[in-house]
Each structure stands twice: as structure tokens, then as C-alpha cells.
Amino acid sequence: MEIKVQKDEDDYLEVMLVGEDVGFTNLIAEKLLESKGVEFAASAYEHPLRGNPILRIKAKSPHKELKTALKEVISSLDDFEKALKKELK
């Protein structure tokens, strides 16, 4: 995965995830929106034919909010993996 920062301002961050699909960025955006510190979070394609999603975050501290959301996504995936392993025994 390659990440390209499109905009990095005090209260706004926009990053492109090259080679990923919009499902991954949607998951991150959903976690971001659970935070009271996030005003806006969304993911969209730069262009439908290129397929590189862009994650947009407006928050008082977008870098901090993104790190927190990523930790929560990882935790959710770990929980999913444990539940799946238990079920597939």
C-alpha cells in the first residue's frame, strides 16, 4: 500500500490510499465518525477508473483522530479473528 498526502492542514487531512479499495477507507471513516472530536470523515474515489480512494478528515487534531481510529480498526479485526478461530474449530 502506498499513501499519498493530498492536503495536510491544522484541522483537515486528506490522504489517498493507492492500490486499496473504498471498503477499507469506509471502515476507517466509520470509526472516525464515532469520535466526538471529528467534524467530518468520508472516503471517496479520486476517479472511478483509477480506483484509489481518498480519506478526508476534518477535526481539531486529524492526525491524532486517524491514529486512534486505526487502533480501533485493528482491535476490531483482532476480535473478529479470535471469534472466527473459535467458531471454526
Side-chain angles (χ1 to χ4, degrees):
M1 173 191 314
E2 180 183 354
I3 297 174
K4 293 183 179 180
V5 176
Q6 304 291 306
K7 287 186 182 179
D8 189 357
E9 300 169 0
D10 289 340
D11 66 346
Y12 185 77
L13 180 63
E14 189 173 289
V15 294
M16 177 189 295
L17 283 72
V18 179
E20 289 298 320
D21 66 26
V22 75
F24 183 61
T25 54
N26 279 340
L27 178 61
I28 298 167
E30 285 179 27
K31 286 294 180 187
L32 283 161
L33 290 170
E34 292 174 5
S35 172
K36 292 181 182 187
V38 174
E39 284 182 51
F40 174 82
S43 67
Y45 282 117
E46 174 192 40
H47 187 280
L49 298 177
R50 290 192 206 150
N52 295 321
I54 295 175
L55 181 63
R56 295 178 173 103
I57 307 161
K58 181 162 176 59
K60 199 173 210 177
S61 179
H63 291 248
K64 180 182 171 188
E65 294 290 351
L66 179 57
K67 287 178 187 177
T68 300
L70 290 173
K71 287 178 186 177
E72 291 175 8
V73 167
I74 290 167
S75 177
S76 294
L77 291 173
D78 287 342
D79 292 346
F80 175 75
E81 181 184 28
K82 287 175 190 172
L84 185 61
K85 283 181 180 179
K86 182 178 177 184
E87 190 63 32
L88 295 177
K89 281 187 177 182

